[in-house]
Amino acid sequence: SQVDKQLSGDSNYVCITSDAWSNISNEPVVNYMAVSPNNSLFLEAVNTEEQGHDADWLSKDLIRVIDSLHNNVVGAVTDNTATNKKVWCELEQKYPSLFFHGCASHGLNLLVKDIFAGKKAELSGGGPDHDPASYPFEDLQLFFIDCKDIVTFFHNHHAPKAKLKKALATAKLRALVQPAPTRWGTLIGCFKSLRAADSILNGLVSERDFVTAGGAKQKEKRLAIRAVIMDPDFVKKLDECIRILEPIEMYIKLFQGDAVPCSDVYKAFLVLEEKMRNMSNISSEKKEYLAKLVRSRFNFMYGDAHGVCYLLDPRYLGDDMTRRLRNEIEDFIYNFLKNDGTTNKERQEQLAREYTAFRIEALRERRENTFRFRLIGQSKSVLQWWKADGTDWPLLQDLATHVFSMAASSAASERSFSTFGFIHTKLRNRLGPEKVKKLVYIKTNTAQISGTDLFDYDSDCSIDFSMDVSILEDVTA
């Protein structure tokens, strides 16, 4: 009843997030979360068994979930795959007043893969057009493989591992991080941990018996590890990788919060593209390639909510948006449908008048930097601003409360699978699917409704839910 109460009511809008994974028994599972700026509630999980995750099935199942929540749903967010993009198009046709787009954090994680795995014939998960012939990061791709080999070597060999652990503890440094494709942010963690431990690693591989201690079979591997660590360009390449990844990692963390508006996603990709173009100490070819990748990834995940939010956010008001795109989004605003899927000329004209009045007032407040304007994004969210201060424009306010209730990412679904992993472990692998779902439902929703954290994450897998809007302001930082 508590969950139903949270999901009911005319103004309790939620965004559906969905993701797929394989459980401890290697069985495919699709989950659904109802996300709002206040909490993220677990709805259900579907064990798909032999059913393939094609666009037709995913669309039908998402329609089933949306219809079960009636008029409280404002849209859905999924991972960024070619199949899911087809799903967005199909659902936009069925629900023209709802919004559908890709997860911003997942899109940035794919951007990292574009950079460090760009020579693959097909990018992981699908995505924008890619020209491997112009790929300028072969050196960093090979360097990344070398770094993984270093971490794996010290993880798998007991004596070097013990020496490294003792030296790191003495220096108060964290352990080397093993990059994992399913855990966002571990790649930069790998580079940073190697950078911090550089002098220690140099000392270990310089020891007289490092190469010979493992016997003849390990000699070649140990020589290769020593050659990489003692390469004069080792630190230089680490610094280049970290410099490229730091702004991406910052936004991956930012967008995992449920309260981040889609306007911040639009702004962040503008900032990120500019940062890549102005990055120091890398070639112009690499800078242009990075900027192109950023733009392509955003175009792939883009949905109407991003553009509408960016125009209706009083902080941004469509800054740096092309005239063509602005006209398209303004036309979308004027033609925004009622819940029954209809509109008329009178409604269109009223929306146009309200939008014009809003822009005039918002531009004035931003220009004068009023107290009310300074609250936005700090003690008052953009959604709260529209609910409290948008009453002069009722039709536009209705659109704004819908679109600013959209989630920026599907991180809530990722967190839900962490709960699945916590409950359905190797020691409890005989739990049936239905029992697991009920336990996840109780654990997740009890924690959300009572206002406590879903997990007390350790330092290696922490998620930063805070939203520091100031990082979006300065494109030259």
Side-chain angles (χ1 to χ4, degrees):
S1 62
Q2 290 283 348
V3 174
D4 291 340
K5 183 179 179 181
Q6 292 277 330
L7 296 174
S8 62
D10 294 338
S11 60
N12 291 344
Y13 296 133
V14 295
C15 171
I16 303 299
T17 67
S18 177
D19 199 6
W21 83 315
S22 296
N23 64 17
I24 193 68
S25 303
N26 200 32
E27 298 167 337
V29 181
V30 176
N31 76 353
Y32 297 100
M33 302 284 293
V35 177
S36 72
N38 299 319
N39 54 34
S40 51
L41 299 172
F42 178 80
L43 295 176
E44 60 175 293
V46 179
N47 285 66
T48 54
E49 299 178 347
E50 73 275 4
Q51 172 63 55
H53 296 177
D54 55 68
D56 182 60
W57 183 85
L58 289 172
S59 297
K60 289 178 180 177
D61 206 50
L62 200 46
I63 288 170
R64 175 185 62 80
V65 175
I66 291 173
D67 288 346
S68 70
L69 297 176
H70 307 293
N71 293 328
N72 293 87
V73 178
V74 295
V77 180
T78 69
D79 275 354
N80 299 277
T81 66
T83 299
N84 278 328
K85 197 169 180 68
K86 292 178 182 177
V87 172
W88 308 339
C89 294
E90 290 183 24
L91 295 181
E92 284 172 353
Q93 295 296 316
K94 181 171 178 62
Y95 303 106
S97 61
L98 302 188
F99 301 91
F100 304 93
H101 57 249
C103 169
S105 291
H106 179 251
L108 289 169
N109 191 55
L110 292 178
L111 173 63
V112 172
K113 292 183 179 181
D114 294 346
I115 298 168
F116 289 92
K119 272 294 187 182
K120 292 183 178 179
E122 183 176 344
L123 294 178
S124 175
D129 292 337
H130 178 66
D131 180 15
S134 63
Y135 178 70
F137 290 102
E138 294 94 339
D139 58 333
L140 296 188
Q141 185 179 32
L142 294 173
F143 181 69
F144 164 53
I145 295 171
D146 289 337
C147 289
K148 286 200 299 182
D149 288 344
I150 293 171
V151 177
T152 302
F153 172 83
F154 280 98
H155 178 76
N156 292 340
H157 294 80
H158 300 304
K161 179 180 181 179
K163 289 183 178 180
L164 176 62
K165 182 178 180 180
K166 183 178 180 180
L168 291 174
T170 301
K172 297 182 179 180
L173 297 175
R174 64 183 301 188
L176 299 185
V177 176
Q178 179 72 56
T182 57
R183 289 184 61 186
W184 298 339
T186 54
L187 181 54
I188 191 172
C190 173
F191 292 137
K192 284 186 173 181
S193 64
L194 288 170
R195 180 66 174 86
D198 174 57
S199 60
I200 294 174
L201 292 170
N202 263 280
L204 291 176
V205 301
S206 298
E207 291 179 356
R208 182 175 301 177
D209 64 343
F210 175 78
V211 174
T212 59
K217 291 184 178 180
Q218 291 188 23
K219 184 175 180 179
E220 184 178 349
K221 183 66 176 178
R222 288 174 177 249
L223 281 170
I225 294 295
R226 184 169 70 175
V228 173
I229 293 174
M230 298 190 72
D231 188 317
D233 289 334
F234 181 63
V235 171
K236 179 181 177 182
K237 289 180 179 178
L238 284 173
D239 288 339
E240 181 177 354
C241 293
I242 293 169
R243 193 161 51 249
I244 291 170
L245 289 174
E246 274 186 329
I248 301 174
E249 169 68 8
M250 176 181 65
Y251 290 127
I252 287 177
K253 289 184 176 181
L254 174 68
F255 297 143
Q256 289 173 356
D258 295 334
V260 179
C262 291
S263 50
D264 280 353
V265 176
Y266 195 111
K267 179 66 175 179
F269 272 85
L270 289 177
V271 172
L272 188 57
E273 184 176 343
E274 189 69 16
K275 280 180 179 289
M276 294 303 178
R277 281 209 171 89
N278 294 328
M279 192 166 290
S280 60
N281 299 321
I282 68 171
S283 69
S284 58
E285 180 187 12
K286 286 183 175 181
K287 287 191 283 191
E288 281 304 311
Y289 192 85
L290 287 169
K292 179 182 177 183
L293 282 179
V294 171
R295 186 167 60 253
S296 295
R297 272 297 165 196
F298 182 59
N299 289 341
F300 188 82
M301 76 172 71
Y302 180 85
D304 291 325
H306 294 116
V308 174
C309 280
Y310 195 59
L311 272 187
L312 297 186
D313 190 323
R315 299 169 299 169
Y316 305 137
L317 299 171
D319 290 346
D320 301 316
M321 183 179 283
T322 65
R323 169 54 61 183
R324 180 190 60 79
L325 181 57
R326 181 192 296 273
N327 289 343
E328 290 178 3
I329 298 171
E330 288 176 347
D331 287 342
F332 179 91
I333 292 172
Y334 304 153
N335 292 285
F336 183 66
L337 304 177
K338 294 186 286 187
N339 288 336
D340 62 6
T342 64
T343 189
N344 52 56
K345 185 177 179 180
E346 181 181 355
R347 175 182 170 84
Q348 292 168 339
E349 292 175 348
Q350 181 64 25
L351 275 166
R353 287 193 295 270
E354 290 184 7
Y355 173 72
T356 301
F358 156 72
R359 278 194 63 85
I360 293 172
E361 178 64 14
L363 284 167
R364 182 192 65 79
E365 290 211 3
R366 187 173 71 169
R367 183 175 61 253
E368 297 176 2
N369 195 29
T370 64
F371 176 72
R372 188 170 71 163
F373 172 78
R374 293 196 300 272
L375 292 177
I376 305 171
Q378 303 300 321
S379 59
K380 180 187 288 187
S381 70
V382 185
L383 177 60
Q384 290 172 330
W385 186 92
W386 270 102
K387 286 182 174 181
D389 302 327
T391 53
D392 289 343
W393 318 292
L395 295 184
L396 198 63
Q397 182 189 45
D398 179 60
L399 167 59
T401 53
H402 278 74
V403 77
F404 283 108
S405 296
M406 282 292 293
S409 76
S410 58
S413 290
E414 295 284 346
R415 296 194 296 270
S416 173
F417 285 135
S418 295
T419 311
F420 270 89
F422 179 80
I423 291 171
H424 198 193
T425 65
K426 290 181 180 179
L427 295 178
R428 307 179 75 192
N429 60 24
R430 297 183 67 183
L431 281 173
E434 293 306 314
K435 186 168 291 186
V436 172
K437 294 173 194 176
K438 290 177 181 178
L439 289 171
V440 171
Y441 185 94
I442 293 170
K443 178 172 177 59
T444 302
N445 294 338
T446 299
Q448 289 293 302
I449 291 171
S450 66
T452 59
D453 289 338
L454 187 62
F455 277 120
D456 289 324
Y457 289 94
D458 60 34
S459 60
D460 287 335
C461 59
S462 62
I463 297 178
D464 181 5
F465 294 100
S466 63
M467 182 178 71
D468 182 2
V469 178
S470 64
I471 65 176
L472 301 174
E473 300 297 338
D474 186 3
V475 300
T476 62

